[in-house]
Amino acid sequence: AKVARLETKLARAFSAEELVRLPYLQFRHLRVTLQGVAHESVSLALSEDGLCLFQAATGVSMAAITCDEEIQVSGAPSGFSLVSRGTGKCEVEHKYASVVGRIVKLWMAYKKEK
């Protein structure tokens, strides 16, 4: 819970445009539905390579999207969804999902242009 509060403060302290210039960013404690299967306690990591979803407890990768892949990020009722050729549709739920979704969209676009 303490980590989640710190992540929220980070997201509020910096604009999304400033965050995309960081080399690495991670959001934890997400609920993710990937290819119809729900997963709890998932981490979403953004790096120079792209986006990676992995189980927080084990570190096992669930999906990876490189920056040069086409990705669609859109709002969903309880979070946001992202669609890519490699992962298909992925729905992400988090208390601050709209902020996370906006950062993901900007991050992937910024890193693709770099």
Side-chain angles (χ1 to χ4, degrees), residues 3 13 16 19 21 24 26 29 32 34 40 44-46 49-50 53-55 58-59 68-69 74 83 85 95 99 111:
V3 172
L19 287 174
R21 291 183 177 88
Y24 183 83
Q26 180 176 336
H29 308 294
V32 173
L34 183 62
E40 295 288 325
L44 183 151
L46 297 166
D49 298 327
L53 294 169
F54 59 93
Q55 288 288 342
T58 61
D68 48 341
E69 278 186 64
S74 56
V83 179
R85 186 175 299 182
K95 185 176 182 181
V99 173
K111 299 300 180 186

Side-chain angles (χ1 to χ4, degrees), residues 39-111:
H39 302 276
E40 295 288 325
S41 191
V42 174
S43 290
L44 183 151
L46 297 166
S47 70
E48 297 290 331
D49 298 327
L51 178 149
C52 181
L53 294 169
F54 59 93
Q55 288 288 342
T58 61
V60 174
S61 177
M62 298 167 48
I65 303 170
T66 61
C67 288
D68 48 341
E69 278 186 64
E70 291 297 320
I71 182 174
Q72 292 179 321
V73 179
S74 56
S78 60
F80 70 93
S81 65
L82 57 96
V83 179
S84 77
R85 186 175 299 182
T87 62
K89 185 174 182 179
C90 175
E91 294 185 6
V92 180
E93 296 177 40
H94 188 270
K95 185 176 182 181
Y96 300 102
S98 62
V99 173
V100 176
R102 182 169 176 250
I103 291 169
V104 166
K105 189 173 188 172
L106 286 170
W107 184 282
M108 296 299 278
Y110 178 79
K111 299 300 180 186

